[in-house]
Amino acid sequence: RLYFRFLDPQVLSDEPTFAQALADLGVISDADSATERSLIIESARRGSLLLGRPFAEGTFDFGDPAYLQSIYEMGEEQRQRKDLKDIRPARGSADSIYLNRAYFGVYSLMGMLQAKIRAERPTL
């Protein structure tokens, strides 16, 4: 439930709610500097919007290679950003990491199959 809140447009658009959702998952903490907090929130929001797009649109075409390419590009960009690499300690729960990887794997498979799906946000 904590993870799936990131599919809710109200959570994504409300800064304090979004920050609290990140704190609940251990992604941000009170020990973070303002700069670190801002970087993490911006990165998490961007990722949540991108990975949540199939749920936001309702009917989604994974056959469009631009979508998976945008996921790859975002991952590569974040991997190379020194300011994000310098933030310590590592963030997020094992469940969050598992879910992100699982979604990425499923999305990749649907891209290979050029699947068109109907997606609905889970009710919480």
Side-chain angles (χ1 to χ4, degrees):
R1 288 186 178 193
L2 294 176
Y3 182 80
F4 291 112
R5 289 186 296 175
F6 294 97
L7 296 175
D8 184 339
Q10 291 177 338
V11 171
L12 291 169
S13 65
D14 183 68
E15 185 78 24
T17 303
F18 188 73
Q20 184 59 53
L22 291 172
D24 292 345
L25 288 174
V27 176
I28 59 173
S29 75
D30 292 338
D32 294 329
S33 71
T35 301
E36 290 172 333
R37 188 177 182 90
S38 178
L39 284 169
I40 293 167
I41 289 171
E42 175 263 324
S43 178
R45 178 173 283 115
R46 185 173 167 216
S48 295
L49 287 168
L50 184 58
L51 295 174
R53 190 180 301 165
F55 295 94
E57 293 184 12
T59 301
F60 195 79
D61 183 4
F62 280 94
D64 178 4
Y67 178 65
L68 285 178
Q69 184 62 37
S70 64
I71 293 173
Y72 294 130
E73 288 171 0
M74 181 185 66
E76 186 61 22
E77 175 189 318
Q78 289 184 350
R79 188 182 70 75
Q80 292 183 11
R81 285 184 60 178
K82 184 173 175 8
D83 55 354
L84 288 174
K85 284 184 195 179
D86 290 344
I87 296 174
R88 297 283 180 238
R91 306 304 173 100
S93 69
D95 290 340
S96 296
I97 294 167
Y98 171 79
L99 281 171
N100 278 328
R101 289 183 181 199
Y103 267 89
F104 181 71
V106 169
Y107 284 13
S108 295
L109 179 60
M110 287 193 284
M112 285 186 264
L113 295 172
Q114 298 186 353
K116 292 180 183 172
I117 65 159
R118 195 173 121 249
E120 296 179 11
R121 281 187 302 120
T123 56
L124 302 176

